[in-house]
Amino acid sequence: MSEAVVAGDAALQDRADALDAADPLADVRDRFVLDDTVYLDGNSLGALSTAVLPRLSDVVTRQWGELRIRSWEESGWWTAPERIGDRIAPLVGAAPGQVVVGDSTSVNVFKALVAAVRMAPADRTEILVDAATFPTDGYIAASAARLTGHTVRAVDAAEIADAAGDRTAVALVNHVDYRTGRLHDLSAVTAALHAAGALAVWDLCHSAGALPVALDADGVDLAVGCTYKYLNGGPGAPAYLYVRRELQPRFDSPLPGWNSHADPFGMAPEYAPADGVPRGRVGTPEILSLLALDAALDVWDGVAVADVRAKSLALTDFFLDCVAALVPYGRAEPITPADHAERGSQVSLRCAGAAEVMRELTARGIVGDYRRPDVLRFGFTPLYTRYADALRAARVLADVLAGGRGTTVAARPTAVPQETDPLDVPEGTT
C-alpha cells in the first residue's frame, strides 16, 4: 500500500470517528440485536429489534396460550391492522385512518392498482408502469390489465410524468429503484399525473423508514410498502396499504374478504364494504407477524425521519468517498446518483463478477447483496449503521478486488441491464 493510500485511509478513519461521535442517532443502535458483522442489507431485511422477542413471548404464552380466543378483543388483535397502520402513518406522511397493515406487498399492489382502475373513467384504458420496476409490480400490472380490459405501457420512471395522457387511468411507480437506489420525485410525478387526469399508485418499499415521504401533502392516491426492510418488521412481515381519505368511499377492492365487510360477523351472503381504510383488509390478520412488527416499530420512538434522512445521505456520501479513495480504479463504478435529491438509502456499484465478490465479502463479515448480472447493493439503515461500518466495508471491498476478485469495468454505465431471471438472494419481494 502506497504512502498516499495509507494517509488517505488514516484520514478516512479520523473522519469516521468524528462522524460517529457526533451522530445524534448513535444510541438508537442499542435498540437492535447486532454483532461484529457489518450489515448492509437492511434494504432487503432489517435487523432484529430488541423489543420483538419479549413482545412475541407475551403474545405466544399469554395472549395465545392463556387468553386464546379472548385475545381478539381483550388483546386488541381485531383492530391491530388499523392500529399498527396508524403507527406507520407518520413515517409516510399520512394522517391517521389511511393506512391498514396486512397481506403481502404483492397483494396490496394488486388491490391498489385494480381499485385505481375502477375509480378511473371508462375511457381511460391505459396503465403506466415504471419500466425498471421490481418484476412483481410488472407482473401484477399485466394481470390487472388482463382482468380489467386495460393495456400496460412501460416507460422509464423519469418519463412517466410526460407519458401520462388522456387514456391513462393510473401509473404504478417505485419511489426508489431497487437496483440503482435512484430516488424519483414523488411530488412532481403525482402532480403531473393528476394534471393529466390519472391516479398515482406508489411503491414505497425502498423509501419508507429511510427518507421522508409526504403522502398526504403530495396528494398521493394510493400507496403500498413492505415492513421488513427499513421498518425492520421481520421476514415475511405484513405489508401496508395507504388509501387517501377522500378516495376511501370509492375504494372498490378486488379482494372483498370477510374482514373488510361492514358487518364481518353478520356472515351475510352479499358483500357490503366497511367504512374507511378497513375496506382494504381481506382475511384474518397475521397476528404473530403483525405484533412482531408492532414491537419493531418501537425503535422509532423519539426518532425524527429528518434526522434519519440526514444521516442516510451522510453515510452514503462517506461510503462513496471511501470507495473512490480505496477501491482499485475501474473495479467498481457507482450507479447510484450522486445528487442527494435523486438518491435513496443504498449504494449500488457496477462490478463484474458481482456474485463472487459478494460471496467473498459475506465470508469476511460484510453483508450486502447483488443483482444479476453485475450490481453490488449496499443498503444503509441509519438507525443502526455506523460510519465506521461504511469504512470497514470499503476497506474489505478494496482488498477483495485488489486480490483479483471481479474484473475491470469496461465503461461507465448509463443504465443497469434488466433482469429476466429469478433473483439471487431470497427477499420475499425486493
Side-chain angles (χ1 to χ4, degrees), residues 107-301:
V107 171
N108 282 314
V109 169
F110 179 75
K111 286 186 283 187
L113 201 54
V114 174
V117 166
R118 289 176 172 177
M119 292 181 204
D123 61 347
R124 289 182 171 265
T125 58
E126 177 185 76
I127 300 171
L128 292 181
V129 297
D130 171 0
T133 190
F134 183 71
T136 291
D137 286 18
Y139 304 157
I140 289 173
S143 178
R146 292 194 301 272
L147 287 169
T148 60
H150 284 55
T151 59
V152 173
R153 181 158 62 103
V155 299
D156 188 280
E159 299 173 1
I160 281 182
D162 294 330
D166 56 10
R167 293 179 52 247
T168 306
V170 58
L172 173 62
V173 197
N174 288 267
H175 196 191
V176 174
D177 185 282
Y178 78 99
R179 279 198 194 90
T180 66
R182 178 178 292 276
L183 172 66
H184 298 295
D185 192 335
L186 183 147
S187 179
V189 173
T190 299
L193 289 169
H194 288 171
L199 296 173
V201 176
W202 285 89
D203 183 329
L204 308 178
C205 285
H206 285 267
S207 58
L211 53 90
V213 182
L215 296 180
D216 284 355
D218 291 333
V220 169
D221 302 301
L222 302 112
V224 301
C226 64
T227 62
Y228 49 77
K229 299 183 190 299
Y230 297 111
L231 298 183
N232 310 295
Y240 57 90
L241 170 68
Y242 165 88
V243 183
R244 184 158 56 88
R245 195 178 310 280
E246 295 86 345
L247 295 181
Q248 289 174 7
R250 298 170 54 202
F251 182 83
D252 182 8
S253 175
L255 298 172
W258 76 286
N259 250 240
S260 63
H261 197 284
D263 182 15
F265 292 97
M267 303 301 172
E270 299 297 327
Y271 180 73
D275 290 332
V277 79
R279 66 174 58 193
R281 295 171 64 153
V282 182
T284 304
E286 313 92 324
I287 291 301
L288 295 181
S289 55
L290 258 177
L291 298 184
L293 167 62
D294 191 23
L297 291 171
D298 288 352
V299 303
W300 290 93
D301 292 347

